[in-house]
């Protein structure tokens, strides 16, 4: 059994905790306010009849240290608070999107000289960051799961600089109930950022591949 560490207990973090425990992962969940604030959520996740893995609350550092695979799902403005050392050498899934109205303006994102996941990779130099789960509504993480081979199975995009890390995340996505579409390196993660054709819609692998190919940078719109 594999342990999934989740840093961030918002909508996506909660949905991933539910989906992962349903397929037998043990989940260590954390937020910025402390594990004592997650008691109700942990109880609710643990009481579900479909649950096969365990779930517990911890600090962000503890969740990072415990996870064989780690999800960072925090607002962009909080990326600097993500613990570095506990995530060293680990595959880290980044779900983030850039919302200037929430995060404040970041010049390198505004002029598109970098991406959110590249920023996280810079913050976590010894980790292997893979962008994923940023373009799906939280409710769909649990509602749209289907077995491999299902016609029109929903697909999720990934991007990363480490081929082995991407294989790990693609396998996890498949276990959860989705196909994976590889965009290439982290720098290509912009193809699934907000306002692009693939951001939000429920698309199978073929249509998602077409959508990300049609994406335009903001400066080219």
């Amino acid at each position: 059994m594999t342990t999934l560490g989740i840093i961030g207990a918002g909508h996506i973090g909660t949905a991933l905790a539910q989906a992962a425990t349903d397929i037998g992962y043990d989940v260590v969940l954390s937020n910025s306010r402390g594990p004592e604030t997650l008691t109700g959520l942990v109880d609710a996740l643990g009481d579900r009849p479909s649950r096969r893995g365990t779930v517990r609350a911890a600090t962000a550092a503890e969740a990072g240290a415990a996870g064989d695979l780690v999800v960072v799902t925090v607002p962009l403005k909080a990326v600097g608070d993500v613990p570095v050392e506990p995530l060293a050498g680990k595959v880290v899934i980044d779900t983030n999107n850039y919302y200037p109205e929430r995060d404040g303006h970041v010049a390198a994102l505004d002029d598109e000289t970098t991406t959110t996941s590249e920023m996280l990779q810079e913050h976590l130099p010894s980790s292997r960051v893979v962008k994923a789960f940023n373009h799906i509504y939280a409710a769909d993480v649990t509602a749209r799961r289907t077995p491999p081979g299902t016609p029109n199975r929903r697909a999720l995009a990934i991007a990363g600089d480490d081929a082995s890390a991407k294989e790990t995340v693609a396998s996890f996505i498949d276990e959860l109930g989705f196909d994976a579409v590889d965009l290439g390196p982290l720098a290509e993660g912009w193809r699934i950022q907000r306002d692009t054709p693939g951001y939000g819609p429920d698309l199978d692998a073929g249509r998602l591949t077409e959508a990300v190919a049609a994406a335009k940078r903001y400066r080219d719109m």
Side-chain angles (χ1 to χ4, degrees):
M1 188 173 289
T2 301
T3 298
L4 181 70
I6 302 179
I7 298 175
H11 296 305
I12 289 291
T14 298
L16 286 173
Q18 178 179 333
T21 53
D22 282 352
I23 59 172
Y25 280 73
D26 291 330
V27 169
V28 183
L29 189 62
S30 67
N31 64 7
S32 61
R33 294 177 295 136
E36 66 279 0
T37 67
L38 293 171
T39 301
L41 177 58
V42 167
D43 288 346
L45 290 169
D47 286 343
R48 293 174 304 105
S50 61
R51 180 187 58 79
R52 293 168 52 199
T54 65
V55 57
R56 65 181 176 89
T59 66
E62 290 166 342
D68 299 298
L69 177 65
V70 180
V71 177
V72 172
T73 179
V74 300
L76 181 68
K77 61 185 179 181
V79 161
D81 297 328
V82 174
V84 176
E85 188 58 34
L87 304 184
K90 298 192 176 186
V91 177
V92 176
I93 296 173
D94 172 42
T95 76
N96 208 354
N97 291 297
Y98 174 41
Y99 297 101
E101 62 274 20
R102 177 195 67 185
D103 304 311
H105 281 278
V106 178
L109 294 175
D110 287 338
D111 64 21
E112 296 188 293
T113 56
T114 192
T115 63
T116 57
S117 294
E118 287 176 291
M119 290 179 63
L120 181 61
Q121 181 67 83
E122 184 177 359
H123 177 68
L124 301 173
S126 298
S127 303
R128 295 177 290 159
V129 174
V130 178
K131 186 176 191 69
F133 297 105
N134 74 298
H135 64 101
I136 182 172
Y137 295 113
D140 288 348
V141 171
T142 54
R144 289 292 292 128
R145 297 174 287 179
T146 54
T150 300
N152 301 315
R153 191 188 198 204
R154 179 153 188 180
L156 300 177
I158 61 174
D161 295 335
D162 184 286
S164 176
K166 286 194 291 186
E167 289 177 4
T168 296
V169 175
S171 177
F172 176 62
I173 287 172
D174 182 54
E175 285 184 275
L176 289 184
F178 305 91
D179 287 338
V181 171
D182 188 351
L183 304 185
L186 281 180
E188 289 296 293
W190 69 268
R191 291 187 175 276
I192 200 64
Q193 67 190 3
R194 59 185 295 194
D195 302 321
T196 57
Y199 183 85
D202 189 330
L203 304 174
D204 63 17
R207 290 185 295 159
L208 181 57
T209 299
E210 293 173 355
V212 296
K216 295 183 182 296
R217 292 186 182 275
Y218 293 131
R219 60 176 178 260
D220 297 328
M221 290 182 178

